[in-house]
């Protein structure tokens, strides 16, 4: 009787193979976490700087109500177009534009104080609206990038980590923004956060790639990511063919 040999990987060889696997996906997740923290800090600046801003510009409660609502209106309006642009042009390109423009519009809010009251409220409303529009693709892009970089068994934890950034933003940046407002004035909160966002945009461009495009990822990590793909192409009853979630490796 013919005996067929079976190759069994020992714990030692498995350990060596595991040690060779890169961990680039965790660096990608860290960058997403930092960007999301800045995202939430920028959208919440108005809650810190709003009171001194309204006093200096002579804006009443109704005017400030319009200013506060501008972001939310734009954020809702931008969700579907933002998702379409992500699918059409890719997460890196659209997210880069998103970070750049929400940071730029945040920075420009610091110069509203040089305008007269009537012009100031219109400009402030428009800038807050544009911040909301620019930030709209951010969370769909986060989910898209996590799906590309993490196997199915790790996506829940990865999503929980970048989602927690919204709460860390309050913990870290609320005291900093309060200090900037009381020490230097409300204008500097927008300027500092806008400049920080533009700097992070440059870091984003240099660090974010698709799995198969990243210069530091190795084949072992790529295979690990693709093994966790939850999608199947069903052909005949009882027959299935697994495919990678993103065969091109692009994001």
């Amino acid at each position: 009787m013919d005996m067929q040999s079976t190759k069994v990987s020992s714990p030692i060889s498995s350990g060596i193979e595991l040690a060779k696997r890169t961990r680039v996906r965790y660096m990608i997740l860290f960058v997403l976490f930092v960007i999301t923290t800045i995202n939430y800090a920028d959208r919440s600046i108005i809650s810190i700087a709003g009171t001194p801003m309204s006093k200096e510009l002579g804006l009443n409660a109704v005017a400030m109500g319009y200013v506060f609502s501008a972001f939310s209106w734009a954020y809702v309006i931008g969700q579907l177009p933002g998702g379409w642009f992500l699918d059409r042009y890719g997460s890196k390109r659209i997210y880069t534009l998103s970070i750049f423009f929400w940071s730029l519009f945040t920075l420009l809010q610091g110069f509203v104080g040089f305008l007269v009251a009537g012009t100031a409220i219109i400009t402030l409303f428009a800038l807050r609206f544009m911040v909301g529009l620019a930030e709209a693709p951010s969370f769909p892009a986060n989910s898209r990038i996590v799906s590309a970089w993490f196997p199915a068994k790790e996506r829940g934890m990865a999503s929980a980590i970048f989602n927690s950034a919204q709460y860390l933003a309050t913990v870290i940046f609320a005291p900093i923004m309060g200090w900037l407002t009381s020490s230097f004035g409300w204008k500097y909160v927008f300027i500092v956060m806008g400049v920080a966002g533009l700097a992070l945009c440059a870091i984003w461009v240099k660090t974010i790639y698709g799995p198969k495009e990243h210069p530091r990822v190795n084949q072992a990590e790529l295979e690990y990511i693709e093994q966790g793909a939850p999608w199947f192409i069903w052909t005949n009853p009882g027959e299935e063919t697994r495919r990678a979630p993103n065969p091109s490796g692009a994001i």
Side-chain angles (χ1 to χ4, degrees):
M1 181 172 60
D2 294 332
M3 300 294 293
Q4 184 178 3
S5 60
T6 304
K7 183 178 179 181
V8 179
S9 61
S10 66
I12 295 177
S13 63
S14 298
I16 294 173
E17 183 181 352
L18 184 62
K20 292 180 180 178
R21 186 193 304 154
T22 54
R23 299 289 187 273
V24 177
R25 64 192 184 282
Y26 297 128
M27 185 272 290
I28 299 294
L29 181 60
F30 175 74
V31 175
L32 287 181
F33 182 85
V34 173
I35 291 295
T36 305
T37 303
I38 294 295
N39 179 305
Y40 268 85
D42 285 351
R43 70 176 67 181
S44 64
I45 291 177
I46 196 73
S47 63
I48 303 294
T51 299
M53 175 194 292
S54 62
K55 290 180 180 178
E56 182 174 328
L57 298 178
L59 306 179
N60 58 27
V62 175
M64 289 305 296
Y66 283 115
V67 170
F68 273 93
S69 66
F71 176 92
S72 298
W73 277 108
Y75 196 79
V76 171
I77 293 170
Q79 288 297 300
L80 292 180
W84 184 86
F85 278 114
L86 287 168
D87 290 336
R88 179 67 178 81
Y89 297 106
S91 300
K92 180 174 181 177
R93 183 180 301 177
I94 298 304
Y95 213 160
T96 299
L97 293 174
S98 177
I99 298 167
F100 176 81
F101 281 111
W102 94 52
S103 300
L104 177 62
F105 294 134
T106 297
L107 172 64
L108 291 176
Q109 288 173 76
F111 299 95
V112 172
F114 297 103
L115 304 174
V116 296
T119 307
I121 184 174
I122 296 173
T123 304
L124 187 58
F125 179 90
L127 290 173
R128 288 296 298 172
F129 188 91
M130 294 307 297
V131 170
L133 207 60
E135 287 195 5
S138 57
F139 264 69
N142 283 351
S143 300
R144 204 168 182 272
I145 294 170
V146 164
S147 295
W149 269 100
F150 285 84
K153 63 183 179 181
E154 293 182 0
R155 285 179 197 150
M157 181 59 70
S159 298
I161 289 173
F162 78 69
N163 273 295
S164 66
Q166 58 185 299
Y167 305 105
L168 185 66
T170 303
V171 172
I172 293 180
F173 285 103
I176 294 175
M177 291 188 293
W179 175 76
L180 284 171
T181 301
S182 62
S183 300
F184 302 99
W186 62 268
K187 302 179 184 70
Y188 288 92
V189 184
F190 292 100
I191 294 171
V192 169
M193 294 304 299
V195 170
L198 292 174
L200 278 174
C201 184
I203 295 173
W204 169 271
V205 172
K206 296 294 184 181
T207 56
I208 297 296
Y209 299 90
K212 292 184 180 179
E213 301 164 344
H214 203 288
R216 295 177 58 188
V217 71
N218 65 7
Q219 187 61 32
E221 185 173 14
L222 285 175
E223 291 176 358
Y224 178 73
I225 293 169
E226 291 179 357
Q227 285 173 1
W231 292 281
F232 298 89
I233 300 175
W234 295 95
T235 53
N236 298 315
E239 181 182 351
E240 62 189 32
T241 302
R242 182 183 294 272
R243 67 176 174 89
N246 193 356
S248 66
I251 57 170

